[in-house]
Amino acid sequence: MDMRAADRMVAIPPGRVTLSDRRTRRSWQVELAPYRLAAYPVTQALYAQITGLLPGTARGDRLPVEGVSWWDAVRFCNALSRHEGLAPAYRLDADHHAEGDGIAWDSAADGYRLPTEAEWEHACRAGTTGPRYGPLDEIAWYRGNSQERLHDVAGKRPNAWGLHDMLGNVWDWCWDVYDPEVYGSYRVLRGGGWFDEHWSCRASARRRSHPSFQVDDVGFRVARSVVR
């Protein structure tokens, strides 16, 4: 993804998705307007081009960037928006801190942002209803086939909407707070990663992490609103 990010964005149709949490046994429905989502996670090449930084330990231009916090991902989205002449989606207070406050999402902005959890699952499923959009070994890098390492993006079969690596390789940061009453500012992670067993690589699987944590199997992909 070292070209213009807009060239690798996929138009996602509107729809309705039912989210669920196994821990709380809660489920809820979300209606979604159309949006655009990157065909694969942000690569090391693109991240370095926009930020001048190269986090993580693995090296390869087409490897997904990892070792990036939720805050890193948010700042990258704004930097990429400015790089392409778009309105940044996020407003960051100068004195914001790692607990997750001091940020506002401008839903009218046409710039890059993180997908919501509902957008992520809707896009991952691509009209399917099962735990995965295809046979796991064909669509994902996970512990059973990854040799316990990262792999280049788009090396596995995409889903029906042309999205690669929605499951496996790296977890994707999402915009949402996981459960503020129990976990405070922890944010949602989706998709499973290269070190995960098969049961974590499911369309409905949810994980959480503190927005300041940087982990070697966590990356992100960018989204854009369809602004009228």
Side-chain angles (χ1 to χ4, degrees):
M1 198 167 173
D2 51 357
M3 60 189 79
R4 273 177 52 91
D7 296 334
R8 297 298 299 138
M9 301 293 283
V10 175
I12 307 298
R16 174 188 299 169
V17 63
T18 300
L19 305 179
S20 61
D21 184 85
R22 287 199 305 169
R23 183 183 61 84
T24 62
R25 298 182 181 178
R26 184 171 67 98
S27 63
W28 62 103
Q29 284 193 336
V30 181
E31 297 280 348
L32 294 169
Y35 56 101
R36 299 181 70 80
L37 188 66
Y40 41 78
V42 171
T43 61
Q44 293 187 9
L46 181 60
Y47 195 88
Q49 175 190 346
I50 299 302
T51 68
L53 302 173
L54 198 56
T57 56
R59 290 292 177 263
D61 283 354
R62 289 189 58 80
L63 290 177
V65 70
E66 41 81 19
V68 286
S69 70
W70 183 87
W71 278 112
D72 293 332
V74 163
R75 294 187 192 99
F76 173 87
C77 288
N78 275 2
L80 181 60
S81 297
R82 288 189 290 267
H83 180 75
E84 297 194 2
L86 304 172
Y90 299 122
R91 293 192 298 272
L92 308 180
D93 291 347
D95 59 350
H96 78 267
H97 56 76
E99 291 304 316
D101 59 5
I103 181 169
W105 170 15
D106 180 3
S107 59
D110 62 355
Y112 294 95
R113 58 177 177 81
L114 296 177
T116 67
E117 178 178 17
E119 287 174 334
W120 187 95
E121 184 165 332
H122 176 58
C124 178
R125 291 188 178 280
T128 63
T129 57
R132 304 179 184 95
Y133 51 85
L136 188 57
D137 280 302
E138 295 180 14
I139 63 173
W141 296 110
Y142 69 108
R143 188 180 293 194
N145 65 7
S146 71
Q147 296 83 48
E148 298 189 3
R149 62 178 177 86
L150 282 172
H151 289 263
D152 286 355
V153 298
K156 290 288 188 177
R157 179 163 66 83
N159 70 9
W161 292 349
L163 300 166
H164 296 265
D165 300 312
M166 291 300 291
L167 299 178
N169 220 4
V170 289
W171 290 84
D172 286 337
W173 284 112
C174 293
W175 164 254
D176 309 66
V177 175
Y178 182 85
D179 185 341
E181 293 184 3
V182 178
Y183 295 101
S185 63
Y186 275 47
R187 299 283 170 161
V188 171
L189 294 168
R190 287 302 204 106
W194 56 266
F195 195 65
D196 286 282
E197 298 287 359
H198 61 88
W199 56 74
S200 290
C201 297
R202 292 176 292 112
S204 62
R206 307 176 78 222
R207 201 173 94 179
R208 62 193 176 274
S209 187
H210 192 276
S212 68
F213 288 177
Q214 298 168 320
V215 188
D216 64 0
D217 65 350
V218 173
F220 66 102
R221 69 181 69 218
V222 294
R224 285 182 68 189
S225 300
V226 176
V227 179
R228 288 177 168 75

